[in-house]
Amino acid sequence: CEILAPLISEMESEYDDEFVDNNFYFVPIDKTSLSYITTNQKESPMPINNLGTTNGKVQPLLSYKNGDHFEGAANFYFDTVHWLRATPYFAAYVQPKFFVSSGDSQNGGIGLYRGYVKTGYKDFEFLVGRDDLRWGPGENSLFFSNDARGLDMIKLSSPYPFALPWVFKYLGRFRLQAFFSWLGEDYTPHNTIL
């Protein structure tokens, strides 16, 4: 155990704030990210796959990070992460983005990668805002990924696996998730609801 003692001590000091039983914890800046992408590749319509239509645009050789669009010769993106835990039952998270492009349609602006408030009690959590949904294992997961922008949604979920009562406990542990999201005018068909 002498070998593990320094590692355990370092982990305790690094994650100490997350285990303290405070009612209020605010992180003004948790992370920052600056990215620069230069390209001359134009957006192309989505390939036809005989499964339905979409008015999506792609740039196959570029990484899609939360629905970013890359234009012209220079694209700068700067984002920050801020979060707040006000009680054991309430938290807020915001990740704004600031961008400047040398393209034709936009010269710059402010947007939101993610931003939500959530509350929970015991095995349930209620979230309102914009966030990613990722179901399944893998880098981009089974059904949803972070290639498109986050969904504006209302979500009820179980943050941790739990066992069902009575004889159903033998079925194993479950995580449940239900959400409602309006995709807006940008999608085809317009005003799609998930």
Side-chain angles (χ1 to χ4, degrees), residues 108-179:
I110 299 172
L112 184 67
Y113 280 135
R114 283 175 212 81
Y116 56 80
V117 294
K118 66 180 176 178
T119 185
Y121 183 71
K122 293 194 178 182
D123 289 331
F124 292 98
E125 188 173 78
F126 182 71
L127 178 142
V128 176
R130 177 177 290 179
D131 197 14
D132 293 333
L133 283 178
R134 297 183 191 186
W135 290 350
E139 181 179 336
N140 289 321
S141 62
L142 186 60
F143 290 113
F144 297 101
S145 74
N146 70 343
D147 289 347
R149 71 166 173 83
L151 297 175
D152 297 326
M153 69 176 136
I154 298 171
K155 179 173 77 169
L156 180 65
S157 63
S158 57
Y160 309 105
F162 66 93
L164 297 172
W166 198 47
V167 296
F168 300 114
K169 66 183 174 188
Y170 298 111
L171 294 175
R173 300 178 69 73
F174 287 86
R175 283 190 68 193
L176 303 175
Q177 191 170 85
F179 67 94

